Amino acid sequence: MSPQSAAAVESDGRIRCGWSEGSQLYRDYHDLEWGRPLHGDDALFERMCLEAFQSGLAWITILRKRPAFRAAFEGFAIERVAQFGDADVERLMADPGIVRNRAKILASIHNARVARDLGESLDTLLWGYAPTPRARPRGLSDVPAVTAESTALAKELKRRGFKFVGPTTAYALMQATGMVDDHIADCWVNVSTR
């Protein structure tokens, strides 16, 4: 998820990244999750799937639908999703609680199978592309949409057979899971990467 504006002072007097304005859901996500290091194969698989589903949509749409996504995709447990078949695809396509995009649904199931059969942990693979920690961005213009690391990660994921994870989606995944800390320099949230 990319910040929409540099920084905002909220009613509680805290300075936050500007994109967290306007919604308690955004604010909670910003304060409690975004940019904090996340580990675990299933947890990272969930974020990978949700970032892919978000492509072309506002992140708030995904946040609002996240409980339904979690229920529909059985907690994003890789082993469970990897076993989904045609009946599951039709069930998901009929579920109004999620984004009903057949290509993204099929990609999520496919990606679960790839993750299951990796031969290494998804966590190890993804975090292996985390860049060296750097200074926080001073403003929106300092926040990239793509980096050399996200491009390399996307290329490796594609080589391994993953779908719907291009360089921009890979970078959003890096931001969301704390592989990079793109909180604006003045933001109150203090995360440590890794």
Side-chain angles (χ1 to χ4, degrees):
M1 186 178 113
S2 298
Q4 299 300 315
S5 62
V9 179
E10 296 280 341
S11 58
D12 63 3
R14 290 183 164 166
I15 297 173
R16 291 181 172 81
C17 302
W19 60 263
S20 67
E21 299 174 350
S23 162
Q24 188 63 44
L25 198 54
Y26 263 157
R27 184 174 168 174
D28 291 346
Y29 177 68
H30 171 272
D31 288 0
L32 303 173
E33 294 183 62
W34 191 77
R36 295 185 185 278
L38 180 69
H39 288 279
D41 289 357
D42 292 343
L44 288 165
F45 175 67
E46 174 185 344
R47 295 295 179 87
M48 179 186 287
C49 290
L50 294 179
E51 292 294 347
F53 272 103
Q54 184 270 330
S55 181
L57 302 171
W59 183 246
I60 193 73
T61 302
I62 302 305
L63 284 179
R64 287 179 180 139
K65 292 178 176 282
R66 188 162 60 166
F69 268 114
R70 286 175 170 165
F73 281 90
E74 298 187 27
F76 289 96
I78 292 170
E79 289 293 332
R80 290 185 196 138
V81 178
Q83 295 174 16
F84 283 12
D86 292 342
D88 294 293
V89 173
E90 295 313 312
R91 171 182 60 81
L92 293 166
M93 285 298 296
D95 187 338
I98 68 168
V99 174
R100 295 177 286 181
N101 178 303
R102 186 175 295 275
K104 292 176 182 180
I105 289 169
L106 291 172
S108 295
I109 296 167
H110 171 84
N111 289 347
R113 293 172 183 156
V114 173
R116 177 195 61 197
D117 299 336
L118 268 179
E120 70 177 297
S121 121
L122 182 63
D123 187 306
T124 300
L125 172 61
L126 296 177
W127 276 89
Y129 285 85
T132 302
R134 62 176 190 260
R136 284 179 156 189
R138 294 185 52 77
L140 178 60
S141 63
D142 298 323
V143 178
V146 173
T147 63
E149 294 87 0
S150 74
T151 300
L153 174 57
K155 184 176 180 181
E156 179 62 15
L157 291 172
K158 183 177 181 180
R159 187 188 74 76
R160 302 261 189 140
F162 287 93
K163 297 179 179 180
F164 265 94
V165 189
T168 303
T169 300
Y171 192 68
L173 178 65
M174 290 175 150
Q175 290 175 306
T177 61
M179 293 179 209
V180 296
D181 179 4
D182 273 348
H183 284 277
I184 301 303
D186 294 337
C187 180
W188 79 271
V189 175
N190 182 16
V191 297
S192 61
T193 56
R194 312 285 182 257

